[in-house]
Amino acid sequence: MTVVDRAPAQPFAKDKIYGHMDRVQEWLDTGQSRPVTVELDLTNICNQKCPHCFGYAPERDQARMHLDEAKRIIAQIREAGGRGLTFTGGGDPTVSPICWECVAYARSIGFDVGFITNAQTLPEDKARVLVENCQWIRVSVDAATPEVFRLTHGMDEPQFRRVLDNVRMLVRLKREARSEATIGIGFLTSPATKRDIFAFAQLGRELEVDYAQYRPLLRRHGEAEIDYSDDEILVEMRRAAQLSTNAYRVVHSEHKYDQIRSGQVQREYKKCYGQNFAAVVSADKKMYVCCHMRGVEKYCLGDLSKQSVSQIWQSSERKRIADSVDFNDCPPLCRCDSFNNILWDMKENGAPADPDPTPRKHPNFI
């Protein structure tokens, strides 16, 4: 038997929707779908002041879930077909006192669990819950220096140092628990932060995380377009990628930056089909079509205080909203962009399923 060497499984592969061809085929055959990946906000309260946050301004919204509400919703997402559940925000999930029990509960009923946090407040006993129950944990650092951290998170050097210490703690606890959780740090690239790009990759090696990830900063609903054309950003990321080792990866969404560089950020597909497989539940217990539309009333699918997840998912209102997504409201290279291209090609052009059998890491997080 010939053994074929393969590259390591990619946690950020743009085509992980191929891992759910049972769901895709069901949708192609019947027009009905079930969610694969759902983001859950336990609170809209945060302990940082990131100026470009996709969550909620704390002075506007203090919504938070109670434990019984959260567990009911988590169970309903699972019953509706959810496979991957990401705890995120909204506010930072660690600010919610019910966070830790909810993470353990989600895992206990069969979810793959992901967790996105700023890691500013992370007691060791709670951090242990994460490494024991999550498939992956990503800490939004977005800086390699206190100066850039102040720009990206609105916080000062003591908070920056605390975040880094907590990342170190997560790595230590992972080793102690012999956990397979993937721990990484994230960086949103922009002209204002490019000076820290290379140093961020160096920081990731020092922290001994599994990866450092770069993503382009996207505009929020209603904001002006961002200039993504700064070539120096791509140059710095490619230089940073040379710091990768077998144990540590420096990654960026190459396809997104290639599109940016070539000026091809406009969508070739005509409809958002990705929302058939991913959604967001906000701390106000409302479901939204995607993470970019949190709090945007025209993209609210329904209220989980009044309906179940399945009732909302199968409702004519969700279908109406899904059919009415206006790409003028959406940032370029959005959350669903990569698999929207794939789904459009399948549905409209009859493209075959999965041309590449290479395994994708964390497949339930599309």
Side-chain angles (χ1 to χ4, degrees):
M1 181 179 67
T2 302
V3 177
V4 179
D5 290 333
R6 294 193 184 277
Q10 300 296 315
F12 305 109
K14 63 180 181 179
D15 56 0
K16 286 194 282 186
I17 191 66
Y18 283 129
H20 303 278
M21 281 308 302
D22 57 333
R23 298 290 178 83
V24 173
Q25 195 61 55
E26 179 181 15
W27 167 68
L28 290 171
D29 291 343
T30 69
Q32 302 295 318
S33 67
R34 286 180 284 165
V36 172
T37 304
V38 175
E39 295 186 12
L40 177 64
D41 305 343
L42 294 177
T43 181
N44 287 339
I45 303 169
C46 193
N47 51 3
Q48 293 191 347
K49 303 172 185 177
C50 306
H52 295 286
C53 181
F54 271 96
Y56 289 80
E59 65 273 11
R60 278 199 298 115
D61 195 300
Q62 298 282 305
R64 54 186 174 182
M65 289 188 190
H66 299 294
L67 182 60
D68 58 339
E69 295 172 329
K71 291 178 77 170
R72 171 177 59 82
I73 290 169
I74 291 168
Q76 288 180 1
I77 295 170
R78 184 67 177 154
E79 290 165 4
R83 292 171 171 173
L85 186 68
T86 302
F87 289 87
T88 180
D92 195 86
T94 63
V95 175
S96 169
I98 67 171
C99 166
W100 324 104
E101 187 167 346
C102 288
V103 165
Y105 175 70
R107 185 62 187 148
S108 74
I109 63 171
F111 271 113
D112 282 356
V113 177
F115 200 87
I116 301 173
T117 177
N118 62 39
Q120 181 172 302
T121 303
L122 195 58
E124 184 164 332
D125 60 331
K126 308 303 185 186
R128 188 172 284 108
V129 174
L130 298 184
V131 300
E132 291 176 351
N133 288 280
C134 294
Q135 272 62 49
W136 57 269
I137 304 159
R138 188 176 79 223
V139 178
S140 302
V141 180
D142 304 301
T145 61
E147 293 75 22
V148 170
F149 189 72
R150 193 172 295 113
L151 284 176
T152 57
H153 286 251
M155 307 303 286
D156 293 323
E157 183 167 356
Q159 288 80 29
F160 178 62
R161 300 300 175 195
R162 188 180 310 148
V163 168
L164 300 187
D165 285 344
N166 285 338
V167 173
R168 293 185 183 96
M169 176 182 63
L170 283 168
V171 171
R172 172 175 59 81
L173 292 175
K174 172 185 171 175
R175 289 173 178 163
E176 291 175 0
R178 298 186 178 181
S179 166
E180 294 185 0
T182 301
I183 298 174
I185 54 175
F187 188 106
L188 292 173
T189 62
S190 72
T193 63
K194 64 184 178 183
R195 56 182 147 153
D196 267 15
I197 288 176
F198 184 76
F200 183 74
Q202 294 175 309
L203 176 64
R205 282 185 70 162
E206 175 199 325
L207 295 172
E208 299 184 280
V209 294
D210 297 302
Y211 69 85
Q213 182 202 21
Y214 301 100
R215 293 174 298 135
L217 178 69
L218 300 181
R219 68 163 172 84
R220 295 174 295 186
H221 177 71
E223 291 183 339
E225 294 290 354
I226 296 173
D227 181 5
Y228 301 103
S229 62
D230 191 332
D231 281 347
E232 191 176 349
I233 291 173
L234 188 59
V235 169
E236 285 297 288
M237 286 189 304
R238 288 179 172 167
R239 187 163 76 98
Q242 296 174 14
L243 296 177
S244 293
T245 67
N246 289 335
Y248 169 63
R249 303 205 58 194
V250 180
V251 296
H252 61 275
S253 301
E254 182 77 19
H255 62 287
K256 291 188 177 182
Y257 288 97
D258 282 345
Q259 285 177 261
I260 289 168
R261 196 179 191 192
S262 63
Q264 297 177 346
V265 296
Q266 298 304 313
R267 293 167 170 83
E268 296 184 2
Y269 49 88
K270 307 302 181 187
K271 273 194 167 185
C272 178
Y273 289 144
Q275 46 72 34
N276 285 289
F277 306 97
V280 168
V281 176
S282 182
D284 60 5
K285 297 178 287 295
K286 293 181 179 179
M287 288 190 77
Y288 292 94
V289 71
C290 77
C291 62
H292 303 293
M293 298 303 166
R294 278 184 179 91
V296 180
E297 194 60 33
K298 68 185 284 190
Y299 294 114
C300 176
L301 303 177
D303 188 338
L304 289 167
S305 297
K306 302 172 183 177
Q307 298 172 281
S308 71
V309 170
S310 289
Q311 286 172 331
I312 290 174
W313 198 260
Q314 295 165 9
S315 70
S316 59
E317 178 68 1
R318 187 189 78 85
K319 292 177 177 61
R320 181 192 69 78
I321 292 171
D323 287 339
S324 67
V325 170
D326 182 351
F327 290 148
N328 290 318
D329 293 331
C330 307
L333 307 174
C334 67
R335 166 80 167 72
C336 294
D337 184 69
S338 296
F339 55 99
N340 262 332
N341 280 305
I342 293 170
L343 293 169
W344 177 265
D345 211 22
M346 284 185 186
K347 186 170 179 62
E348 306 301 327
N349 302 323
D354 203 353
D356 180 6
T358 304
R360 288 87 172 172
K361 194 168 186 178
H362 307 148
N364 289 332
F365 300 92
I366 56 177

